[in-house]
Amino acid sequence: MSNLIVGSLNSEEYFKLVENNNQALNLVLDRILEGGYSLPDNHFSTIHLSITPQDYSAINSDQLLLLLFKALAPSGSLIIHNLSPPTLPSQLILTGYTNPTSESAATTCTTKPQHAPAISLSLKKSNKKSSKPLWNFSQAQPIDPAQLLTQQDKAAPSTPLSCPTTKKRRACADCSCGLKEELAKESQVNIDTSSDLTKTFTNVKDAQAKGATSSCGSCYLGDAFRCASCPYLGLPAFEPGQKVEIDMSADV
């Protein structure tokens, strides 16, 4: 194993280190970061790093520290000269170095662990047969839609005594429960147009007794209370003792 000196041309300390370590490998910072020289893994026992604070701010320092970490041999040392930013110790620990210590105001020394953390993963495919899929539509039995309906579902719904929405015996605007049709049947007025039907009525009860029927029984109150098919529509309200002539001819 050998030593490595990494530095920038702006650092005077770099040239001093090169001069005092003739056997060490010397590399300029840019060659490492730009891929001009590939550092061997786990090779160097000691690495000296000498760059200026301006270089440190301009480069990707995390990338540089990681490259040097891979190049260090287990238990190898990294010595950083003339550089002491506040974030450097935590940055070294996050990269994987241990025990970063400041030997002087501008020199930091740290080491690479003897055993780098590693995770062993098995990439072999399992021979265990996969379980059958939970949903297999190709083998699913067809469903007859007619079997989904019971006799109760097919039965016509019974007409409620009151509207489920209004809670009154009055159909709402979009009635679908059958109450609207039921009320329409109840409001129909049937008139017997036979020849023996008296055409002069003195009151509603007399008219109903002669064959004119109405389920609402409010014809005597006037048009505001009469059905659309009421035979008395357009006539004044009945009063006791008042005679009302109704033309029952076929062309009415």
Side-chain angles (χ1 to χ4, degrees):
M1 292 184 292
S2 59
N3 296 336
L4 171 65
I5 301 175
V6 178
S8 67
L9 299 179
N10 299 322
S11 173
E12 296 181 359
E13 183 69 21
Y14 170 67
F15 295 101
K16 294 180 180 179
L17 291 171
V18 172
E19 184 178 354
N20 296 330
N21 295 272
N22 297 328
Q23 303 298 325
L25 175 64
N26 307 316
L27 292 175
V28 179
L29 177 67
D30 296 341
R31 292 199 63 192
I32 297 177
L33 294 178
E34 295 177 0
Y37 185 88
S38 297
L39 296 175
D41 293 342
N42 303 318
H43 181 74
F44 300 99
S45 59
T46 303
I47 297 179
H48 296 269
L49 176 62
S50 179
I51 59 176
T52 63
Q54 292 76 15
D55 296 326
Y56 178 82
S57 302
I59 65 173
N60 186 341
S61 55
D62 291 333
Q63 178 189 5
L64 175 62
L65 294 177
L66 182 58
L67 291 174
L68 299 182
F69 180 84
K70 293 179 179 180
L72 268 177
S75 301
S77 299
L78 171 65
I79 303 174
I80 304 174
H81 301 270
N82 297 329
L83 187 67
S84 58
T87 59
L88 183 59
S90 60
Q91 194 174 10
L92 291 170
I93 293 175
L94 292 176
T95 305
Y97 297 94
T98 59
N99 302 323
T101 56
S102 299
E103 297 184 354
S104 63
T107 303
T108 301
C109 183
T110 184
T111 58
K112 180 178 180 178
Q114 176 66 33
H115 301 287
I119 299 177
S120 177
L121 297 177
S122 176
L123 300 179
K124 295 182 179 179
K125 293 184 178 180
S126 175
N127 295 327
K128 184 179 179 180
K129 295 183 179 180
S130 59
S131 58
K132 295 183 179 179
L134 181 61
W135 299 102
N136 190 344
F137 294 99
S138 61
Q139 300 179 1
Q141 296 296 327
I143 299 176
D144 185 6
Q147 296 179 355
L148 301 179
L149 297 176
T150 63
Q151 294 298 327
Q152 185 178 1
D153 296 330
K154 298 177 182 180
S158 58
T159 304
L161 298 177
S162 61
C163 178
T165 303
T166 62
K167 305 302 181 183
K168 299 179 181 179
R169 191 165 175 75
R170 181 183 304 168
C172 54
D174 54 349
C175 178
S176 60
C177 64
L179 182 60
K180 182 178 181 180
E181 291 76 9
E182 186 69 19
L183 294 178
K185 293 180 181 179
E186 294 178 0
S187 63
Q188 292 179 356
V189 177
N190 300 319
I191 300 178
D192 186 0
T193 57
S194 60
S195 58
D196 59 346
L197 180 62
T198 303
K199 299 180 181 180
T200 301
F201 305 129
T202 58
N203 53 59
V204 175
K205 292 183 179 180
D206 185 29
Q208 292 177 348
K210 299 300 182 180
T213 59
S214 174
S215 61
C216 63
S218 301
C219 301
Y220 69 95
L221 297 176
D223 283 348
F225 299 91
R226 292 170 182 166
C227 305
S229 59
C230 182
Y232 317 118
L233 191 64
L235 298 178
F238 290 121
E239 295 181 0
Q242 180 183 358
K243 293 184 178 181
V244 179
E245 295 287 341
I246 298 180
D247 187 358
M248 305 299 295
S249 58
D251 58 348
V252 175

